[in-house]
Amino acid sequence: MSYEIVEAMLARRGVQIEAIAEIVYHLQKGYHPELTMDDCVISVKSVLQKREVQYTLYTGIALDELAEKRLLPQPLQAIMEADESLYGVDETLALGITHVFGMIGLTSFGYLDKEKIGVIHDLNEHGSAIHVFLDDLVAGLAAAASARIAHKNIKAKQYPGDV
């Protein structure tokens, strides 16, 4: 697995790195007035370099694609086709990505899961495609990339005793 393979998989499913970076920018611009879209693209690409993130994306996207081809066993096939709200496995998988950069990713993921901004909204309003996992995985990616930026903020408050 490599970054290039994951980027191609996302593109095949209609998700561009820049679209994820736009969500990251939305999450962080209020805290970092100097933040650029390039910073956000770099952060998304950095998260995508992590092998556990690549494996998570590969798994979720494969399940979405198998469901589209009606190759999953019942009742999982019906659950995926209905995008059952109580399923929760999609969010559970995406949470693995959010934790790569700490708890701040979790709070951002919760916000994105509720608000469904940008490409997350587009995936959720999928029409005939099945994006049960992908919309949450993209939210997880954006949340992790946002948390990465937050952790790298050189203007973060320093406390006595910080080394």
Side-chain angles (χ1 to χ4, degrees):
M1 193 54 94
S2 71
Y3 166 80
E4 291 79 16
I5 293 170
V6 173
E7 183 178 24
M9 289 174 67
L10 287 168
R12 185 179 72 236
R13 300 297 290 174
V15 179
Q16 302 300 318
I17 301 303
E18 294 75 15
I20 301 169
E22 288 174 12
I23 298 167
V24 173
Y25 185 78
H26 172 80
L27 291 171
Q28 286 295 313
K29 68 181 176 186
Y31 305 103
H32 306 281
E34 73 288 350
L35 187 67
T36 67
M37 278 298 296
D38 285 342
D39 296 329
C40 297
V41 167
I42 289 167
S43 193
V44 171
K45 287 181 176 184
S46 178
V47 172
L48 286 172
Q49 295 289 336
K50 298 202 168 286
R51 187 173 307 217
E52 64 267 33
V53 171
Q54 294 170 5
Y55 289 161
T56 302
L57 285 165
Y58 184 71
T59 302
I61 291 170
L63 287 168
D64 283 348
E65 290 177 339
L66 289 169
E68 283 180 357
K69 295 174 184 173
R70 302 187 56 79
L71 294 174
L72 295 173
Q74 293 295 352
L76 184 56
Q77 182 66 43
I79 291 167
M80 294 283 288
E81 288 175 2
D83 198 358
E84 173 60 50
S85 62
L86 294 177
Y87 180 56
V89 177
D90 45 342
E91 284 90 359
T92 302
L93 196 62
L95 287 174
I97 297 173
T98 67
H99 289 302
V100 170
F101 287 97
M103 287 302 294
I104 190 170
L106 176 64
T107 57
S108 294
F109 175 77
Y111 168 77
L112 293 174
D113 190 44
K114 176 97 173 126
E115 295 299 318
K116 303 204 183 304
I117 62 173
V119 70
I120 300 166
H121 175 268
D122 298 342
L123 292 168
N124 197 54
E125 301 296 320
H126 46 72
S128 62
I130 294 179
H131 296 128
V132 171
F133 282 89
L134 188 56
D135 63 333
D136 293 304
L137 294 172
V138 169
L141 278 171
S146 175
R148 180 182 176 275
I149 290 170
H151 281 287
K152 291 183 164 289
N153 183 5
I154 61 171
K155 295 181 181 179
K157 188 171 181 177
Q158 298 293 311
Y159 294 95
D162 276 358
V163 179

